[in-house]
Amino acid sequence: MSGIWRVPAALAVLSTVGLAAAILGDGAWDWICWIALSVPLAVCAVKLWRQRPSPRS
Amino acid sequence: MTPASLRGWRLVHRWTSLICSVNLLILCVTGLILVFHHEIQHLMGEELDTSYQEGQARLPLDTLVDIAHKSDPAKEPKFISFDPEDPAASYIYLSPPGASDFEGGSWVVLNAFTGSNQVLKPPTETVTGFLLKLHVDLFTGFAGQMFVGVMGLLFVVSTVSGLVVYGPFMKKLAFGLLRFGRGTRIANIDLHNLFGVTTLVWAFVVGLTGAILSFSPLIIGYWQQTEMAAMIGRHHGEALTGPTVAVDRVAEAGLVAFPGKDLAFIAFPGNSYASERHFSVGVRGHTELTQRILSVALVDAGTGTLAEKAETPWYITMLLLSGPFHFGDYGGLPLQIIWAIFTIITGVVTVTGFVVWLKRPRARTAPAATFSERKA
């Protein structure tokens, strides 16, 4: 798989696992769901924070 | 991919997105609030009193039906629905005699332990009811609901086509590169690509399940007219003239037919979910997954005996399972918060995508041809 798809594919797998986990049960399943689905959100936040426009420009 | 097919996918992505964008923003804003509808109802004092003593027995169903009926004697009880999360909440539907659908009637909500009648405001007079109506059908009934469903399908096509055009576009760009300070269009393209591709699976699932839920009247109608009609047709279907058996006996017959399951609903004879002479009893399992899947028993209204039982077909199961994956209500408050953030990001993807289109270069020969044009 080329570099373009490495991160998006990983996030897609995590999203799928996260979405499915909480419907399968409670407790640990919920935690898998919360953690897995938080990763794409965290990636957005980190990318945005690290490349935020500087106040000067 | 050939340049021609890439151009085709670009067109598909542009137009499916543009057509659904306004509706999608409405869905994002209303949906964002509706994710927390339980919490809002709690704050507004609109939630039900479902308190009961430990060890207290539930009232017989017949008592509950009587209480509901007395509150509006001109109408007849047609349907009882039970809340899987709350044993005290029973919803009883009353409608004018002869009416088989859910038009022109009213819901009575009773505490199943105390029998106290919880007068509900009409949904459109509550905050969440208003937002839900706007979300589901834009206040235009069935036609609006079908419109929103089609918009949902366009959104699904937009996510898929967006993924297809993402690859060629990102060929020489690092994942998540954000180029602020290179002009509005490039900044919006980068935000759109990063947010769009990271939330793609969530957006696809929520869009698709939303479209399925929009088309639920058609899906349920098909089931009623095919499998349910066939099930009912195998038994003598003339209307019962004498008295019907007790509702508790009907419930018992349904529960015996499916050992270990809980009541989900009971439809009375004459309702569109039952026949002229049968009750239908819907049951569900206990787990997070199986409590959302129904099975149905047909119970003779004159004798209280089981006429037939059946699992619901795959498309009804698909419809029932679309609920949690659209509402995000199956993993507690943390999942609701995650759902809300995804919703906000989807709104940002919609707006940035729209800005990219607004700022499109007017002529391909323009000296300031942008990056995406050069890539194409």
Side-chain angles (χ1 to χ4, degrees):
Chain A
M1 191 182 294
S2 78
I4 299 170
W5 295 111
R6 204 170 296 139
V7 181
L11 293 177
V13 170
L14 277 172
S15 300
T16 309
V17 169
L19 284 169
I23 201 83
L24 298 176
D26 291 322
W29 292 106
D30 281 342
W31 280 97
I32 294 171
C33 164
W34 300 333
I35 292 166
L37 282 181
S38 295
V39 175
L41 301 178
V43 167
C44 288
V46 168
K47 287 286 179 191
L48 195 56
W49 178 251
R50 289 213 178 135
Q51 301 171 82
R52 68 193 180 281
S54 57
R56 282 175 290 114
S57 58
Chain B
M1 194 182 316
T2 68
S5 68
L6 181 59
R7 256 199 307 281
W9 279 108
R10 284 240 171 93
L11 276 177
V12 170
H13 186 59
R14 177 186 302 164
W15 288 106
T16 51
S17 309
L18 279 175
I19 294 167
C20 73
S21 60
V22 173
N23 191 235
L24 190 61
L25 275 183
I26 296 174
L27 293 172
C28 284
V29 173
T30 52
L32 176 62
I33 304 168
L34 285 169
V35 167
F36 300 104
H37 71 100
H38 270 302
E39 287 73 13
I40 293 168
Q41 281 164 331
H42 180 74
L43 281 176
M44 308 289 285
E46 285 161 1
E47 62 174 6
L48 309 170
D49 168 30
T50 52
S51 54
Y52 58 94
Q53 305 291 319
E54 194 66 38
Q56 191 176 356
R58 286 175 62 106
L59 293 171
L61 293 175
D62 289 284
T63 311
L64 296 174
V65 170
D66 275 345
I67 295 171
H69 196 188
K70 284 204 182 87
S71 73
D72 194 350
K75 294 180 185 153
E76 289 177 351
K78 293 287 172 62
F79 200 87
I80 314 178
S81 174
F82 304 93
D83 189 334
E85 307 280 337
D86 193 339
S90 5
Y91 302 79
I92 300 177
Y93 188 73
L94 302 171
S95 68
S100 66
D101 55 15
F102 289 85
E103 301 289 329
S106 52
W107 288 95
V108 178
V109 187
L110 298 179
N111 182 318
F113 292 85
T114 65
S116 74
N117 190 343
Q118 325 243 333
V119 179
L120 282 190
K121 283 191 211 169
T124 45
E125 285 176 22
T126 66
V127 178
T128 50
F130 178 89
L131 291 172
L132 184 65
K133 193 93 177 107
L134 184 58
H135 190 90
V136 170
D137 68 8
L138 303 161
F139 290 101
T140 51
F142 177 77
Q145 192 172 334
M146 294 303 111
F147 173 82
V148 174
V150 171
M151 293 297 125
L153 288 181
L154 285 177
F155 174 63
V156 169
V157 176
S158 147
T159 60
V160 173
S161 57
L163 186 65
V164 174
V165 301
Y166 175 87
F169 186 86
M170 297 300 285
K171 227 173 230 162
K172 290 207 174 72
L173 295 174
F175 169 81
L177 178 68
L178 297 176
R179 293 163 294 171
F180 294 110
R182 293 268 313 266
T184 316
R185 182 175 154 95
I186 288 192
N188 277 280
I189 286 178
D190 288 349
L191 277 173
H192 184 81
N193 283 340
L194 170 63
F195 286 2
V197 83
T198 46
T199 61
L200 192 100
V201 169
W202 181 90
F204 177 85
V205 168
V206 172
L208 185 63
T209 52
I212 292 170
L213 290 168
S214 289
F215 296 125
S216 62
L218 305 181
I219 298 170
I220 292 172
Y222 178 77
W223 174 55
Q224 288 171 330
Q225 282 162 27
T226 55
E227 299 211 16
M228 273 213 85
M231 203 166 143
I232 290 163
R234 285 193 283 274
H235 307 274
H236 49 103
E238 62 270 20
L240 192 71
T241 43
T244 61
V245 294
V247 181
D248 290 282
R249 255 184 78 188
V250 173
E252 191 56 37
L255 289 172
V256 167
F258 296 102
K261 300 231 176 174
D262 293 334
L263 287 176
F265 70 82
I266 298 174
F268 286 55
N271 179 270
S272 55
Y273 286 87
S275 83
E276 290 300 328
R277 84 162 283 138
H278 298 95
F279 285 88
S280 72
V281 181
V283 298
R284 57 163 67 100
H286 303 286
T287 69
E288 195 75 60
L289 182 65
T290 57
Q291 73 175 10
R292 299 167 199 276
I293 300 173
L294 299 179
S295 310
V296 178
L298 214 53
V299 178
D300 191 288
T303 63
T305 53
L306 180 75
E308 194 160 334
K309 63 173 182 174
E311 307 298 326
T312 48
W314 66 269
Y315 50 87
I316 294 290
T317 302
M318 175 189 75
L319 173 63
L320 293 168
L321 281 179
S322 291
F325 290 109
H326 189 73
F327 310 137
D329 62 353
Y330 60 105
L333 188 61
L335 187 59
Q336 287 170 272
I337 294 168
I338 287 168
W339 227 252
I341 300 171
F342 269 110
T343 307
I344 293 170
I345 295 180
T346 303
V348 174
V349 174
T350 311
V351 172
T352 52
F354 195 74
V355 171
V356 170
W357 176 75
L358 279 181
K359 299 275 178 190
R360 67 197 178 282
R362 294 298 161 147
R364 297 185 69 86
T365 51
T370 65
F371 193 83
S372 72
E373 296 296 325
R374 272 186 268 135
K375 303 285 308 179

